[in-house]
Structure formats: structure tokens, C-alpha cells
Amino acid sequence: MKDTVLDILEDLTGSNEVKKDLDVNLFETGLLDSMATVQLLLELQTQLGVDVPVSEFERSEWDTPNKIIAKVENN
Amino acid sequence: MLNLQPYQNPTYFGYLAVALLPIMIGILYGRRFRWYETLVTLAFLVLTFGGDKWWQGLMLICYIIYEMILTFGYFNYRKKKNSGVIFVLAVILSILPLVIVKITPAIDAGKESIIGFLGISYLTFKTVGMIMEIRDGIIKELGLWETLHFLLFFPTISSGPIDRFRRFKKDYDAVPERDKYLSLLEKGVHYIFLGFLYKFLLAYFWGSYLLPIVRIHALGHGGISWWLVAYTYVYSMDLFFDFAGYSLFAVGTSYIMGYETPMNFNQPFKSKNIKDFWNRWHMTLSFWFRDYIYMRLVFFMMKNKLVKSRIAMANIGYLTLFLIMGFWHGVTWYYIVYGIFHACAIIINDAWLRFKKKHRKLIPSNKFTEYFATFLTFNVVCFSFLIFSGFLNELFFMNK
């Protein structure tokens, strides 16, 4: 689960930073933008079957790889 | 009867201080006096929408009844079924009053619609947001009082910041701890005083003192002149300090009431590019458009594979977002051009960022380029505000 999420993030951000620092702020660093966020939600849906509606996505709760992993695991 | 517009004069602030005192004492002792909050809300609504504005008040009541029926109707429907058509219909119906208010002046020689009232746009943002979150199944419970309090929350009723239902409800249901509340209180008071500086000193200087002088000269000279350039920057300063000042009052008042209404501005003139600018300027509006229009549209396009290229998809999203924002400001050519201008600016910005990523080694990046980026962004933004101001319309088409 964790690895899949990190693979998706690495793919979307085009950087392995997300694997090196699991607490990196994805939005402040510009690694993730709205477009990539939508892709992330779709990838989570197709690869992991995790359904997150766009309006559930509160940025401050999803802004680091660790937080995303926690969200996915709790889903 | 007395009529007071929000945060306009010392009397209003006087009433505000008196009305907030019991709320403050209550929260400090760990209590929220609901009935008192309701009473204060009603009193301030009567102050703003009573007296010679009574017709607006009546329209506000009608609007609220209409939107409440719609929202609760959709909520009850959504518990049983979830058809896309009904959802779209509910959204259309909820924006219908605003659409009428916005279109009326354009087709009826500048006359204001009779169903309009101060703050109708901001109420519409809140309701549409709720309907979308009901559709997504995120709003699972909906109470009558909390919804009314959310919509009619008086500190933000006239011009935002635009709060979100689930965030508001968290504060509505809870009483902040004493330590936390003391820091909210401190910030709230600080914001209100900063607001005084912005609105009654700086906005007064730029807007009420300097702007009329520059305006007369620019009109007298006609066409493109240095006075027009001056107008661009003076207007931009006025726009910022006026709106940011107002927003500080609204946020400060909310904090004192124990509600953490989101901030609207974060040093926008420091932005290093247009994207950054929209993350700092009128933030609750741009985030609303980002979350409820841009992201939903992109999600829809991506999921149904309507558009192949990611870049095209992003650009369609930007154009849609800023066109709607333009129309929302009003149906005039300059608001719509303002929207298109920003859509183009952000599309160019994205293309530049892609180019930069590819040719990282070739492009210098140092303190100078950073200052230059901020300087360029500032000027592009001020020019867009000149379009927004409608002054070009006056200068070129009505100046005789």
C-alpha cells in the first residue's frame, strides 16, 4: 500500500524527493499542483480502489507523503 | 430607522464591541450562548438590511427560504438516490438568483435587479459549495440552525471571506479552549486594528484622496498618458488596501466570536508568478474556484477521457475558471476581458514553468531573476486591475 502510493507520487511529481523525505510539503514546494492532485485521486481510485471525492480533498490534510499514506490506510 | 453598512463607520464598531463582549466572556468561561449569538446575528442583519434598505432585507429573506428549500430538498433526495442530472439541476437552481442579478444590468440599461441584495454572491458560493459536498456524500448531517448560522454569519455576510460548511460547523459545535481562545482574541484584535490602518488610512489616501486627482488628469489628457499609468498603480493600491482592510475586519470579528474564518490575502504583491498571485489574492474566492470548478472539471475530463493532453486539459480548466470569475464580477466587457487576461497569463506561466523545467541548466536563477519575476508579476497584476477598474471603458468610450 505504502509503496504503491509512493510510486504514484514519484510518477506524478517526476522527482524521487517524495521517497527521500516523507514529510516534504507537496504543495508549498510546488511538487504537486491541482492538476497532479486530480491525477493522484484518480490513480488512488484505479490502483488501490480508494475512493476520494474532490471535495473531500482538504489540502492541509494531504500535503505530505506521510499524510497521504495515512489517509489511504484509514480509508 | 437606523441603517449601518458593515465596518463603515465608528458607530458600527461601537455596536460591535458591545455586542461581542458577552460572547467573549462566555467563551472564556467555556460556554457558547447560542441564543445570544442568534440574537446578535439578527440585530446586525437588521442594522445592515433594515431602515431604507428594507427591500434588500426582504429579498434576503426570500433568497434564504429559497436556498434552504433547495439545499434540504437535495440533501433528502441524495440520501436515497444520486443522479447526475438532479445534481446539475440543483446547482443551476441555486445559482439562478445570482445569474438574474448579474444579467439584469447588462440587458436593462444598467438597472439593478429588484431581487438583489448586498452579499448575494457570497451566499451563493456557500450554498453551491454545500450542494457539491452533499453530492460527494461529504456532508452527512444537515441541521437547520447550523445551516442558517453558516449562511447568515454576519461578520462575513457582505463580502466574504467565503467559509466552508464543514469548517464552520467544527467551530460552531465546539468552544475553543481558553489558551487557544486568548490567542485568537489577540489575533482578532490585531487584525481589526490592522484593518483600521488599511481601510481608513491607506485606502483613504490612495482611493479617496489620490485617485480622484489622477482620474481627472487622465480623463483630461485623454487616451494613453502617464496619468493613466499613475491611475493603474493608484487604483491597484486602493483596491488592495480597501478589500484587505475589509477582510481583516471580517476575519478579526470572526476570531473574537471563536470562528476561524479563513484569511483572504497573504501579501499578494510579493507573488513571484501569476499562479502564486492567485494563492495570495482573494484566497477564499480563488480556492473556491480551484476546488469547486477547476478540479471538478479536470477530474471529469480526465475520468471520462474527454481530452487527451494534460496541458490542454489544464488550459481548458483555466479558461473556464477565469471566464466564470469574469462573468461573476459582472456582465461587462472589462470584467470578462479581465478574466480572459488572467487565464492567458496563467497559461503562459504554466508553459514557461514547463520550459524552465526542461532547460534548467540554460536559464539563470539568482536573486536578480527572483526580483525581476516579482516585479514583472506585480506589473502584470496592476495592468489587469486597470482593466478590472472599468476606467478604460470610461476613458475610451464615455469620455467626451
Side-chain angles (χ1 to χ4, degrees):
Chain A
M1 183 77 98
K2 185 177 167 184
D3 293 334
T4 319
V5 174
L6 288 176
D7 285 340
I8 295 173
L9 282 174
E10 184 177 29
D11 206 32
L12 286 175
T13 58
S15 150
N16 62 357
E17 188 118 3
V18 290
K19 286 190 175 169
K20 278 192 275 180
D21 179 5
L22 294 184
D23 290 311
V24 63
N25 190 306
L26 297 165
F27 294 106
E28 274 170 22
T29 50
L31 284 165
L32 218 58
D33 59 8
S34 306
M35 188 75 190
T37 304
V38 174
Q39 279 178 300
L40 170 69
L41 297 184
L42 278 171
E43 290 302 325
L44 291 179
Q45 202 173 44
T46 45
Q47 293 192 32
L48 294 168
V50 177
D51 213 357
V52 184
V54 183
S55 58
E56 173 87 58
F57 190 87
E58 163 60 41
R59 265 176 207 234
S60 60
E61 294 169 11
W62 292 78
D63 54 8
T64 70
N66 264 337
K67 284 190 194 170
I68 296 176
I69 292 164
K71 278 273 182 191
V72 171
E73 278 171 352
N74 288 330
N75 203 286
Chain B
M1 212 178 107
L2 185 67
N3 180 288
L4 284 177
Q5 292 308 300
Y7 314 115
Q8 292 290 336
N9 58 38
T11 322
Y12 186 89
F13 285 97
Y15 285 141
L16 200 58
V18 173
L20 293 184
L21 204 61
I23 298 184
M24 284 159 58
I25 295 169
I27 298 180
L28 280 172
Y29 286 94
R31 303 262 319 260
R32 256 194 203 290
F33 306 125
R34 285 250 181 272
W35 55 270
Y36 181 75
E37 274 183 34
T38 309
L39 205 70
V40 169
T41 301
L42 280 176
F44 276 85
L45 290 178
V46 170
L47 267 183
T48 304
F49 295 101
D52 56 358
K53 294 263 172 31
W54 67 273
W55 179 259
Q56 280 199 32
L58 188 65
M59 290 302 110
L60 170 66
I61 295 169
C62 294
Y63 175 89
I64 288 292
I65 295 172
Y66 171 80
E67 296 288 354
M68 290 296 276
I69 292 173
L70 196 65
T71 309
F72 278 85
Y74 182 67
F75 180 75
N76 285 322
Y77 163 82
R78 180 63 183 77
K79 275 198 250 174
K80 286 163 248 140
K81 282 189 214 130
N82 186 14
S83 138
V85 180
I86 299 291
F87 164 66
V88 172
L89 195 71
V91 171
I92 291 174
L93 284 175
S94 74
I95 61 170
L96 190 65
L98 181 65
V99 171
I100 294 171
V101 167
K102 290 290 174 183
I103 288 180
T104 307
I107 55 174
D108 198 10
K111 248 205 245 152
E112 294 293 326
S113 163
I114 54 158
I115 63 162
F117 57 87
L118 178 76
I120 183 171
S121 324
Y122 293 91
L123 283 179
T124 307
F125 285 124
K126 287 183 178 179
T127 343
V128 174
M130 283 182 80
I131 289 177
M132 291 195 179
E133 296 192 352
I134 292 170
R135 155 83 165 170
D136 287 352
I138 308 272
I139 295 180
K140 294 182 182 85
E141 288 162 67
L142 199 60
L144 184 68
W145 281 111
E146 62 204 38
T147 309
L148 279 173
H149 263 279
F150 169 63
L151 290 177
L152 293 171
F153 188 60
F154 81 89
T156 61
I157 195 158
S158 62
S159 312
I162 306 155
D163 206 352
R164 310 221 174 159
F165 179 72
R166 283 177 302 148
R167 204 218 59 73
F168 180 87
K169 190 172 162 12
K170 246 196 317 208
D171 292 345
Y172 178 84
D173 286 339
V175 186
E177 301 269 324
R178 187 178 278 200
D179 283 350
K180 183 168 179 217
Y181 182 62
L182 284 173
S183 102
L184 275 183
L185 209 54
E186 195 185 320
K187 276 191 215 155
V189 173
H190 173 72
Y191 286 160
I192 289 178
F193 278 88
L194 195 62
F196 285 140
L197 173 72
Y198 276 26
K199 177 127 182 141
F200 297 124
L201 235 82
L202 294 167
Y204 179 83
F205 170 73
W206 293 106
S208 303
Y209 175 72
L210 220 49
L211 197 65
I213 302 174
V214 187
R215 180 176 167 273
I216 296 288
H217 283 287
L219 285 174
H221 192 284
I224 292 162
S225 64
W226 285 110
W227 288 109
L228 182 62
V229 177
Y231 187 95
T232 307
Y233 295 98
V234 172
Y235 176 82
S236 300
M237 289 302 126
D238 176 42
L239 187 66
F240 170 69
F241 285 113
D242 189 71
F243 197 14
Y246 158 82
S247 298
L248 284 167
F249 293 146
V251 173
T253 309
S254 307
Y255 276 21
I256 294 174
M257 292 173 71
Y259 290 88
E260 287 182 73
T261 296
M263 283 296 264
N264 241 355
F265 293 91
N266 176 22
Q267 305 181 311
F269 294 140
K270 270 193 184 168
S271 313
K272 54 186 197 297
N273 60 44
I274 290 292
K275 236 179 175 166
D276 190 26
F277 170 75
W278 283 107
N279 284 325
R280 293 160 169 275
W281 175 270
H282 203 178
M283 287 142 74
T284 58
L285 178 80
S286 57
F287 295 167
W288 193 97
F289 274 92
R290 178 193 73 197
D291 296 346
Y292 294 110
I293 294 181
Y294 181 88
M295 288 190 42
R296 290 186 92 88
L297 183 66
V298 169
F299 190 87
F300 183 77
M301 285 192 284
M302 220 183 261
K303 193 169 183 184
N304 297 295
K305 302 194 171 65
L306 296 179
V307 184
K308 275 205 194 101
S309 140
R310 273 176 60 179
I311 298 168
M313 217 171 334
N315 293 349
I316 292 171
Y318 289 138
L319 269 171
T320 313
L321 183 163
F322 283 106
L323 264 179
I324 296 177
M325 196 190 275
F327 275 101
W328 166 70
H329 278 298
V331 188
T332 63
W333 71 264
Y334 45 89
Y335 288 142
I336 294 157
V337 170
Y338 169 78
I340 297 172
F341 181 87
H342 269 285
C344 293
I346 214 163
I347 288 170
I348 293 168
N349 181 43
D350 257 16
W352 165 250
L353 289 178
R354 278 195 301 275
F355 180 81
K356 212 166 91 169
K357 222 175 187 175
K358 246 190 235 160
H359 306 271
R360 201 164 271 164
K361 288 188 195 94
L362 294 169
I363 300 161
S365 173
N366 50 46
K367 272 271 164 284
F368 174 76
T369 58
E370 277 169 34
Y371 284 130
F372 178 72
T374 306
F375 176 76
L376 186 66
T377 307
F378 173 70
N379 286 289
V380 169
V381 163
C382 289
F383 180 70
S384 79
F385 288 157
L386 174 67
I387 303 173
F388 177 81
S389 73
F391 187 64
L392 293 176
N393 192 47
E394 196 180 355
L395 186 65
F396 292 130
F397 305 124
M398 288 152 72
N399 193 15
K400 285 187 186 118

Coordinates of all heavy atoms in Angstrom, one line a residue, chain B residues 228-291:
Chain B
L228 N -2.6 57.9 -17.0 CA -3.2 56.6 -17.0 C -2.4 55.5 -16.3 O -2.9 54.7 -15.5 CB -3.5 56.2 -18.4 CG -4.2 54.8 -18.6 CD1 -5.6 54.9 -18.0 CD2 -4.3 54.5 -20.1
V229 N -1.0 55.7 -16.5 CA -0.1 54.8 -15.8 C -0.2 55.0 -14.3 O -0.4 54.0 -13.5 CB 1.3 55.0 -16.2 CG1 2.3 54.1 -15.5 CG2 1.5 54.8 -17.7
A230 N -0.3 56.2 -13.9 CA -0.4 56.5 -12.4 C -1.7 56.0 -11.9 O -1.8 55.4 -10.8 CB -0.4 58.0 -12.2
Y231 N -2.8 56.1 -12.7 CA -4.1 55.6 -12.3 C -4.0 54.1 -12.0 O -4.6 53.6 -11.0 CB -5.2 55.9 -13.4 CG -6.6 55.5 -13.0 CD1 -7.4 56.5 -12.5 CD2 -7.0 54.2 -13.1 CE1 -8.7 56.2 -12.1 CE2 -8.3 53.9 -12.7 CZ -9.1 54.9 -12.2 OH -10.4 54.6 -11.8
T232 N -3.3 53.4 -12.9 CA -3.2 51.9 -12.8 C -2.7 51.6 -11.4 O -3.3 50.7 -10.7 CB -2.2 51.4 -13.8 OG1 -2.6 51.9 -15.1 CG2 -2.1 49.9 -13.8
Y233 N -1.6 52.2 -11.0 CA -1.0 51.8 -9.7 C -1.8 52.4 -8.5 O -1.9 51.7 -7.5 CB 0.5 52.3 -9.7 CG 1.2 51.5 -10.7 CD1 1.5 52.1 -12.0 CD2 1.6 50.2 -10.5 CE1 2.2 51.3 -13.0 CE2 2.2 49.4 -11.5 CZ 2.5 50.0 -12.7 OH 3.1 49.3 -13.7
V234 N -2.3 53.6 -8.6 CA -3.0 54.1 -7.5 C -4.3 53.3 -7.3 O -4.6 52.9 -6.1 CB -3.4 55.6 -7.8 CG1 -4.4 56.1 -6.7 CG2 -2.2 56.5 -7.8
Y235 N -5.0 52.9 -8.4 CA -6.2 52.1 -8.3 C -5.8 50.8 -7.6 O -6.6 50.3 -6.7 CB -6.8 51.9 -9.6 CG -8.0 51.0 -9.6 CD1 -9.3 51.5 -9.2 CD2 -7.9 49.6 -9.9 CE1 -10.4 50.6 -9.1 CE2 -9.0 48.8 -9.8 CZ -10.2 49.3 -9.4 OH -11.3 48.5 -9.3
S236 N -4.7 50.2 -8.1 CA -4.4 48.9 -7.5 C -4.1 48.9 -6.0 O -4.5 48.0 -5.3 CB -3.1 48.3 -8.2 OG -3.3 48.2 -9.6
M237 N -3.4 50.0 -5.6 CA -3.2 50.1 -4.1 C -4.5 50.3 -3.4 O -4.7 49.7 -2.3 CB -2.3 51.4 -3.9 CG -0.9 51.2 -4.3 SD -0.1 49.8 -3.5 CE 0.5 48.9 -4.9
D238 N -5.4 51.1 -3.9 CA -6.7 51.3 -3.3 C -7.5 50.0 -3.2 O -8.0 49.7 -2.2 CB -7.5 52.4 -4.1 CG -8.9 52.6 -3.5 OD1 -9.0 52.6 -2.3 OD2 -9.8 52.7 -4.3
L239 N -7.5 49.3 -4.3 CA -8.3 48.0 -4.4 C -7.7 47.1 -3.3 O -8.5 46.5 -2.5 CB -8.1 47.4 -5.8 CG -8.9 46.1 -6.0 CD1 -10.4 46.5 -6.1 CD2 -8.5 45.5 -7.4
F240 N -6.4 47.0 -3.2 CA -5.9 46.0 -2.2 C -6.2 46.5 -0.8 O -6.7 45.7 0.0 CB -4.4 45.9 -2.4 CG -3.7 45.2 -1.2 CD1 -4.0 43.8 -1.1 CD2 -2.9 45.8 -0.3 CE1 -3.4 43.1 0.0 CE2 -2.4 45.1 0.8 CZ -2.6 43.8 0.9
F241 N -5.8 47.7 -0.4 CA -6.0 48.1 0.9 C -7.5 48.2 1.4 O -7.8 47.9 2.5 CB -5.3 49.5 1.2 CG -3.8 49.3 1.3 CD1 -3.0 49.9 0.3 CD2 -3.2 48.6 2.3 CE1 -1.6 49.7 0.3 CE2 -1.9 48.4 2.3 CZ -1.0 48.9 1.4
D242 N -8.3 48.6 0.4 CA -9.8 48.6 0.8 C -10.3 47.2 1.1 O -10.9 47.0 2.1 CB -10.5 49.2 -0.4 CG -12.0 49.5 0.0 OD1 -12.2 50.4 0.8 OD2 -12.8 48.8 -0.5
F243 N -10.0 46.3 0.1 CA -10.6 44.9 0.3 C -9.9 44.1 1.4 O -10.5 43.4 2.2 CB -10.5 44.2 -1.0 CG -11.4 43.0 -1.1 CD1 -12.4 42.8 -0.2 CD2 -11.2 42.0 -2.1 CE1 -13.2 41.7 -0.2 CE2 -12.1 40.9 -2.2 CZ -13.0 40.7 -1.2
A244 N -8.5 44.3 1.5 CA -7.8 43.6 2.5 C -8.2 44.1 3.9 O -8.3 43.4 4.8 CB -6.3 43.7 2.3
G245 N -8.4 45.4 4.0 CA -8.8 46.0 5.2 C -10.2 45.5 5.6 O -10.4 45.0 6.8
Y246 N -11.1 45.5 4.7 CA -12.4 44.9 5.0 C -12.3 43.5 5.5 O -12.9 43.0 6.5 CB -13.4 45.0 3.8 CG -14.5 44.0 3.9 CD1 -15.6 44.2 4.6 CD2 -14.3 42.7 3.3 CE1 -16.6 43.3 4.8 CE2 -15.2 41.7 3.5 CZ -16.4 42.0 4.3 OH -17.3 41.0 4.5
S247 N -11.5 42.7 4.7 CA -11.3 41.3 5.1 C -10.8 41.1 6.5 O -11.1 40.1 7.2 CB -10.4 40.6 4.1 OG -11.0 40.6 2.8
L248 N -9.8 42.0 6.8 CA -9.2 41.9 8.2 C -10.3 42.1 9.2 O -10.3 41.4 10.3 CB -8.1 42.9 8.3 CG -6.8 42.5 7.7 CD1 -5.9 43.7 7.6 CD2 -6.1 41.4 8.4
F249 N -11.2 43.1 9.0 CA -12.3 43.3 9.9 C -13.2 42.0 10.1 O -13.5 41.6 11.2 CB -13.3 44.4 9.5 CG -12.6 45.8 9.4 CD1 -13.0 46.7 8.5 CD2 -11.7 46.1 10.4 CE1 -12.4 47.9 8.5 CE2 -11.1 47.4 10.4 CZ -11.5 48.3 9.4
A250 N -13.5 41.4 8.9 CA -14.4 40.2 8.9 C -13.7 39.1 9.7 O -14.3 38.4 10.5 CB -14.7 39.9 7.5
V251 N -12.4 38.9 9.4 CA -11.7 37.7 10.0 C -11.5 38.0 11.5 O -11.7 37.2 12.3 CB -10.3 37.5 9.3 CG1 -9.5 36.4 10.1 CG2 -10.6 37.0 7.9
G252 N -11.1 39.3 11.8 CA -10.9 39.6 13.2 C -12.2 39.5 14.0 O -12.1 38.9 15.1
T253 N -13.3 39.9 13.5 CA -14.6 39.8 14.2 C -14.9 38.3 14.4 O -15.3 37.9 15.5 CB -15.7 40.5 13.4 OG1 -15.3 41.8 13.1 CG2 -17.0 40.5 14.2
S254 N -14.7 37.5 13.4 CA -14.9 36.1 13.5 C -14.1 35.4 14.6 O -14.6 34.7 15.4 CB -14.6 35.3 12.2 OG -15.2 35.9 11.1
Y255 N -12.8 35.8 14.6 CA -11.9 35.2 15.6 C -12.5 35.5 17.0 O -12.5 34.7 17.9 CB -10.5 35.8 15.5 CG -9.7 35.1 14.4 CD1 -10.2 34.3 13.4 CD2 -8.3 35.2 14.5 CE1 -9.4 33.7 12.5 CE2 -7.5 34.6 13.5 CZ -8.1 33.8 12.5 OH -7.3 33.2 11.6
I256 N -12.9 36.8 17.2 CA -13.4 37.2 18.5 C -14.6 36.4 18.9 O -14.8 36.1 20.1 CB -13.6 38.7 18.6 CG1 -12.3 39.5 18.4 CG2 -14.3 39.1 19.9 CD1 -12.5 41.0 18.3
M257 N -15.4 36.0 17.9 CA -16.5 35.1 18.2 C -16.2 33.6 18.3 O -17.0 32.8 18.4 CB -17.6 35.3 17.1 CG -18.2 36.7 17.1 SD -19.3 37.0 15.7 CE -20.7 35.9 16.1
G258 N -14.9 33.3 18.1 CA -14.4 31.9 18.2 C -14.6 31.2 16.9 O -14.7 29.9 16.9
Y259 N -14.7 31.9 15.8 CA -14.8 31.2 14.5 C -13.5 31.5 13.7 O -13.2 32.7 13.5 CB -16.0 31.7 13.7 CG -17.3 31.2 14.3 CD1 -17.9 31.9 15.3 CD2 -17.9 30.0 13.9 CE1 -19.2 31.5 15.8 CE2 -19.1 29.6 14.4 CZ -19.7 30.3 15.4 OH -20.9 29.9 15.9
E260 N -12.8 30.5 13.2 CA -11.6 30.8 12.4 C -11.9 30.9 10.9 O -11.4 30.1 10.1 CB -10.6 29.7 12.7 CG -10.0 29.8 14.1 CD -8.9 28.8 14.4 OE1 -7.8 28.9 13.8 OE2 -9.2 27.8 15.1
T261 N -12.6 31.9 10.6 CA -12.8 32.3 9.2 C -11.5 32.4 8.5 O -10.6 33.0 9.0 CB -13.6 33.6 9.1 OG1 -14.9 33.4 9.7 CG2 -13.8 34.1 7.7
P262 N -11.3 31.7 7.3 CA -10.0 31.8 6.6 C -9.6 33.2 6.1 O -10.5 34.0 5.8 CB -10.2 30.8 5.4 CG -11.7 30.7 5.3 CD -12.3 30.9 6.6
M263 N -8.3 33.4 6.1 CA -7.8 34.7 5.6 C -8.0 34.9 4.1 O -8.1 33.9 3.4 CB -6.3 34.8 5.9 CG -6.0 35.1 7.3 SD -6.6 36.7 7.8 CE -5.1 37.7 7.6
N264 N -8.1 36.1 3.7 CA -8.3 36.4 2.3 C -7.1 36.8 1.5 O -7.0 36.7 0.3 CB -9.4 37.5 2.1 CG -10.6 37.0 1.4 OD1 -10.6 35.9 0.9 ND2 -11.6 37.9 1.3
F265 N -6.1 37.4 2.2 CA -4.9 37.9 1.5 C -3.7 37.5 2.2 O -3.6 37.5 3.4 CB -5.0 39.5 1.4 CG -6.1 40.0 0.6 CD1 -7.3 40.3 1.1 CD2 -5.9 40.1 -0.8 CE1 -8.4 40.7 0.3 CE2 -7.0 40.6 -1.6 CZ -8.2 40.9 -1.0
N266 N -2.6 37.2 1.4 CA -1.3 36.9 2.0 C -0.2 37.6 1.2 O 0.4 37.0 0.3 CB -1.2 35.4 2.0 CG 0.2 34.9 2.5 OD1 0.9 35.7 3.2 ND2 0.6 33.8 2.1
Q267 N -0.1 38.9 1.5 CA 1.0 39.7 0.8 C 1.0 39.4 -0.7 O 2.0 39.0 -1.3 CB 2.3 39.4 1.4 CG 2.3 39.6 2.9 CD 3.7 39.3 3.5 OE1 4.3 38.3 3.3 NE2 4.1 40.2 4.4
P268 N -0.1 39.7 -1.4 CA -0.2 39.3 -2.9 C 0.8 40.0 -3.8 O 1.2 39.5 -4.8 CB -1.6 39.8 -3.2 CG -2.0 40.8 -2.2 CD -1.3 40.4 -1.0
F269 N 1.3 41.2 -3.4 CA 2.2 41.9 -4.3 C 3.6 41.4 -4.2 O 4.5 41.8 -4.9 CB 2.2 43.4 -4.0 CG 0.9 44.1 -4.3 CD1 0.3 45.0 -3.5 CD2 0.2 43.7 -5.4 CE1 -1.0 45.6 -3.8 CE2 -1.1 44.2 -5.7 CZ -1.6 45.2 -4.9
K270 N 3.8 40.4 -3.3 CA 5.1 39.7 -3.3 C 5.2 38.5 -4.2 O 6.2 37.8 -4.3 CB 5.4 39.2 -1.8 CG 6.1 40.2 -0.9 CD 6.5 39.4 0.3 CE 7.1 40.2 1.3 NZ 7.2 39.4 2.6
S271 N 4.1 38.2 -4.9 CA 4.0 37.0 -5.7 C 5.1 36.9 -6.7 O 5.4 37.9 -7.3 CB 2.6 36.9 -6.4 OG 1.6 37.2 -5.5
K272 N 5.6 35.6 -6.9 CA 6.7 35.5 -7.9 C 6.2 35.1 -9.2 O 6.9 35.2 -10.2 CB 7.8 34.5 -7.4 CG 7.2 33.2 -6.9 CD 8.4 32.4 -6.3 CE 8.1 30.9 -6.2 NZ 7.0 30.6 -5.3
N273 N 4.9 34.7 -9.3 CA 4.3 34.5 -10.6 C 2.8 34.5 -10.5 O 2.3 34.7 -9.4 CB 4.8 33.2 -11.3 CG 4.4 32.0 -10.5 OD1 3.3 31.9 -9.9 ND2 5.4 31.0 -10.3
I274 N 2.0 34.4 -11.6 CA 0.6 34.6 -11.5 C -0.1 33.5 -10.7 O -1.1 33.8 -10.0 CB 0.0 34.6 -13.0 CG1 0.4 35.9 -13.7 CG2 -1.5 34.6 -13.0 CD1 -0.2 37.2 -13.1
K275 N 0.4 32.3 -10.8 CA -0.1 31.2 -10.0 C 0.0 31.5 -8.6 O -0.9 31.4 -7.8 CB 0.6 29.9 -10.4 CG -0.3 28.8 -10.9 CD 0.6 27.6 -11.2 CE -0.3 26.5 -11.5 NZ 0.5 25.4 -12.1
D276 N 1.2 32.0 -8.2 CA 1.5 32.4 -6.8 C 0.5 33.5 -6.4 O 0.0 33.5 -5.3 CB 2.9 32.8 -6.7 CG 3.4 33.0 -5.3 OD1 2.9 32.3 -4.4 OD2 4.4 33.8 -5.1
F277 N 0.3 34.4 -7.3 CA -0.6 35.5 -7.0 C -2.0 35.1 -6.6 O -2.5 35.5 -5.6 CB -0.7 36.5 -8.2 CG -1.8 37.5 -8.1 CD1 -1.6 38.6 -7.3 CD2 -3.0 37.4 -8.8 CE1 -2.6 39.6 -7.2 CE2 -4.0 38.3 -8.7 CZ -3.8 39.4 -7.9
W278 N -2.5 34.1 -7.4 CA -3.9 33.6 -7.0 C -3.9 32.7 -5.8 O -4.9 32.4 -5.3 CB -4.5 32.9 -8.2 CG -5.0 33.9 -9.2 CD1 -4.4 34.2 -10.5 CD2 -6.1 34.8 -9.1 NE1 -5.1 35.2 -11.1 CE2 -6.2 35.6 -10.3 CE3 -7.0 35.0 -8.1 CZ2 -7.1 36.5 -10.4 CZ3 -8.0 36.0 -8.3 CH2 -8.0 36.7 -9.4
N279 N -2.7 32.4 -5.3 CA -2.7 31.7 -4.0 C -2.6 32.7 -2.9 O -2.5 32.3 -1.7 CB -1.5 30.7 -3.9 CG -1.8 29.5 -4.7 OD1 -2.9 29.0 -4.7 ND2 -0.8 28.9 -5.3
R280 N -2.5 34.0 -3.2 CA -2.3 35.0 -2.2 C -3.4 36.1 -2.2 O -3.5 36.9 -1.3 CB -0.9 35.7 -2.4 CG 0.2 34.8 -2.1 CD 1.5 35.4 -2.8 NE 2.7 34.8 -2.3 CZ 3.4 35.1 -1.3 NH1 3.0 36.1 -0.5 NH2 4.5 34.5 -1.0
W281 N -4.1 36.2 -3.4 CA -5.0 37.3 -3.6 C -6.5 36.8 -3.5 O -6.8 35.8 -4.2 CB -4.8 37.9 -5.0 CG -5.8 39.0 -5.3 CD1 -7.0 38.8 -6.0 CD2 -5.8 40.4 -5.0 NE1 -7.7 40.0 -6.1 CE2 -7.0 41.0 -5.5 CE3 -4.8 41.2 -4.4 CZ2 -7.2 42.3 -5.4 CZ3 -5.1 42.6 -4.3 CH2 -6.3 43.1 -4.8
H282 N -7.3 37.4 -2.7 CA -8.7 37.0 -2.5 C -8.7 35.4 -2.5 O -9.4 34.8 -3.3 CB -9.6 37.5 -3.7 CG -11.0 37.6 -3.3 ND1 -12.0 38.0 -4.1 CD2 -11.6 37.2 -2.1 CE1 -13.2 38.0 -3.5 NE2 -13.0 37.5 -2.3
M283 N -8.0 34.9 -1.5 CA -7.7 33.5 -1.5 C -9.0 32.6 -1.4 O -9.1 31.6 -2.0 CB -6.8 33.1 -0.3 CG -5.4 33.6 -0.5 SD -4.6 34.2 1.0 CE -4.4 32.7 1.9
T284 N -9.9 33.1 -0.5 CA -11.1 32.2 -0.4 C -11.9 32.1 -1.7 O -12.5 31.1 -1.9 CB -12.0 32.7 0.8 OG1 -12.5 34.0 0.5 CG2 -11.3 32.6 2.1
L285 N -11.9 33.1 -2.5 CA -12.5 33.1 -3.8 C -11.8 32.2 -4.7 O -12.3 31.3 -5.4 CB -12.7 34.5 -4.4 CG -13.4 34.5 -5.7 CD1 -14.9 34.4 -5.6 CD2 -13.1 35.8 -6.5
S286 N -10.4 32.4 -4.8 CA -9.7 31.6 -5.8 C -9.6 30.2 -5.4 O -9.7 29.3 -6.3 CB -8.3 32.2 -6.0 OG -7.6 32.3 -4.8
F287 N -9.6 29.9 -4.1 CA -9.6 28.5 -3.7 C -11.0 27.8 -3.9 O -11.1 26.7 -4.3 CB -9.3 28.3 -2.2 CG -7.9 28.7 -1.9 CD1 -7.4 28.9 -0.6 CD2 -6.9 29.0 -2.9 CE1 -6.1 29.3 -0.3 CE2 -5.6 29.4 -2.6 CZ -5.2 29.5 -1.3
W288 N -12.0 28.7 -3.8 CA -13.4 28.2 -4.1 C -13.4 27.8 -5.6 O -13.9 26.6 -5.9 CB -14.4 29.2 -3.8 CG -15.8 28.7 -3.8 CD1 -16.5 28.3 -2.7 CD2 -16.7 28.5 -5.0 NE1 -17.8 27.9 -3.1 CE2 -17.9 28.0 -4.5 CE3 -16.5 28.7 -6.3 CZ2 -19.0 27.6 -5.3 CZ3 -17.6 28.3 -7.2 CH2 -18.8 27.8 -6.7
F289 N -12.9 28.6 -6.4 CA -12.9 28.3 -7.9 C -12.0 27.1 -8.2 O -12.4 26.3 -9.0 CB -12.5 29.6 -8.7 CG -13.6 30.5 -9.0 CD1 -13.9 31.6 -8.2 CD2 -14.4 30.3 -10.1 CE1 -15.0 32.4 -8.4 CE2 -15.5 31.2 -10.4 CZ -15.8 32.2 -9.6
R290 N -10.9 27.1 -7.5 CA -10.0 26.0 -7.7 C -10.6 24.6 -7.4 O -10.7 23.7 -8.2 CB -8.7 26.2 -6.9 CG -7.7 25.1 -7.0 CD -6.7 25.2 -5.9 NE -7.2 24.8 -4.6 CZ -6.6 25.1 -3.4 NH1 -5.5 25.8 -3.4 NH2 -7.2 24.7 -2.3
D291 N -11.2 24.6 -6.2 CA -11.8 23.3 -5.7 C -13.1 22.9 -6.3 O -13.3 21.8 -6.6 CB -11.9 23.4 -4.1 CG -10.6 23.5 -3.5 OD1 -9.5 23.3 -4.1 OD2 -10.6 23.8 -2.2

